[in-house]
Amino acid sequence: MRPFALLLLAVLLCLPALTEAQPFGYSVDSDGQTTADDLYRVDLATGAVTLIGAVRPTVGPKYQDVEGLAMNAEGQLFGTDDALDALIRIDPQTGLATLVGALGTAGQGPGGNLDYGLAFTCDGRLWLSSDTADTLWQVDPGSGLASAPRDLPAGLTGLAARGNTLYGVALDGNLYRYSVELGIATLVGPLGIPAFDDGGLDFDADGNLWAIAEYTPSDPNLPSRIYRVDIGSGAATFVADTRAGFEGLAITAPSCVGVEDAQSVPGPAAPMLLLMVGLLAGFGMRRVVRA
């Protein structure tokens, strides 16, 4: 076989794997039964996890009930401590965390348990949701202070941003879209999955929406489950089981370029590979014509 044909074959064989590669995310086993509040790297395609480390300050005990994970444009990982009602910044390489500040939301939820979701929009604003207080706040990422509360649909857990629009999954099994400019929540549609206790939500760099549904309080033996979510219909597709106790999910910094087309275009590797295939095919055709 000629060299150009061998190269073309190699590219074609690699194309499916490269265009369908799934991302990794970060989550914390905040409801784990043995080693709660450790940070993990999660393979979203298989559910396999890699332990990074305990979410704790350099000196002192672990933070407790860490949830609502989100990354800013610089790739810094933030989370909330539901026991302290505080914003923390987490090192994704070690799990060590720094207290940013009190959210100022204590006492606003039933029993003091607010079950937070967290997301950065592309304009740099940080948003905080509670599935027990049914409230959305804007948070100062420098001080941690939450302000300007707004009403949300009941039980909205997990929060993700696409451009400057928020998405959230609710404990009633539906996906909602929320315009931060208009202050209006719109029902997208049902997830179509078993009822869950808490959830994490985030977009990957290609604009695909991922969810982690957590079932541990109902049954300690049930794993958390990873889903892909259609932002047009709300329908969730099961991908894999993963470690029990995962509530929050953070995948990448906000993807703010061409977000309107993010769901309908292939990942960045695909256009280059397709261009290479086209060039190689053209080169091969010219050799055939010359022959």
Side-chain angles (χ1 to χ4, degrees), residues 227-239:
Y227 295 92
R228 284 273 298 270
V229 182
D230 187 321
I231 65 169
S233 67
T237 302
F238 174 75
V239 178

Side-chain angles (χ1 to χ4, degrees), residues 183-202:
I184 296 175
T186 303
L187 172 64
V188 177
L191 299 170
I193 64 175
F196 52 95
D197 297 292
D198 279 299
L201 200 65
D202 202 11

Side-chain angles (χ1 to χ4, degrees), residues 11-12 14-21 206 264-278:
V11 170
L12 289 173
C14 292
L15 183 59
L18 289 173
T19 56
E20 296 176 9
D206 293 330
S264 60
V265 298
M272 294 301 297
L273 285 171
L274 292 174
L275 176 61
M276 187 184 301
V277 170

Side-chain angles (χ1 to χ4, degrees), residues 5-234:
L6 286 171
L7 181 58
L8 176 59
L9 178 60
V11 170
L12 289 173
L13 289 174
C14 292
L15 183 59
L18 289 173
T19 56
E20 296 176 9
Q22 307 299 350
F24 290 83
Y26 295 94
S27 195
V28 175
D29 59 339
S30 50
D31 278 339
Q33 299 301 299
T34 53
T35 56
D37 297 300
D38 287 340
L39 179 68
Y40 288 84
R41 188 169 184 257
V42 185
D43 184 329
L44 296 176
T46 66
V49 300
T50 302
L51 174 63
I52 294 174
V55 181
R56 64 187 308 158
T58 304
V59 177
K62 282 184 181 182
Y63 287 102
Q64 299 177 36
D65 202 5
V66 177
E67 52 195 36
L69 301 177
M71 279 191 181
N72 66 6
E74 289 73 42
Q76 294 177 315
L77 181 62
F78 287 76
T80 60
D81 182 320
D82 197 18
L84 296 176
D85 293 306
L87 182 70
I88 59 176
R89 188 171 59 249
I90 306 168
D91 185 335
Q93 303 301 318
T94 65
L96 292 176
T98 302
L99 176 66
V100 177
L103 293 165
T105 55
Q108 298 188 40
N113 185 3
L114 290 169
D115 281 337
Y116 294 116
L118 201 64
F120 281 93
T121 45
C122 283
D123 55 14
R125 288 184 288 179
L126 177 59
W127 301 92
L128 177 77
S129 65
S130 165
D131 66 20
T132 58
D134 303 331
T135 303
L136 178 75
W137 297 268
Q138 186 175 338
V139 178
D140 182 339
S143 69
L145 185 63
S147 61
R150 311 179 185 191
D151 291 336
L152 283 180
L156 201 69
T157 182
L159 202 62
R162 186 170 185 259
N164 290 327
T165 300
L166 296 174
Y167 288 80
V169 292
L171 299 178
D172 65 3
N174 287 305
L175 177 71
Y176 289 86
R177 181 173 59 247
Y178 185 88
S179 169
V180 295
E181 304 303 336
L182 300 177
I184 296 175
T186 303
L187 172 64
V188 177
L191 299 170
I193 64 175
F196 52 95
D197 297 292
D198 279 299
L201 200 65
D202 202 11
F203 285 93
D204 65 23
D206 293 330
N208 302 303
L209 183 59
W210 295 82
I212 284 184
E214 187 259 327
Y215 298 86
T216 303
S218 298
D219 184 343
N221 298 313
L222 286 177
S224 299
R225 292 180 176 177
I226 300 170
Y227 295 92
R228 284 273 298 270
V229 182
D230 187 321
I231 65 169
S233 67

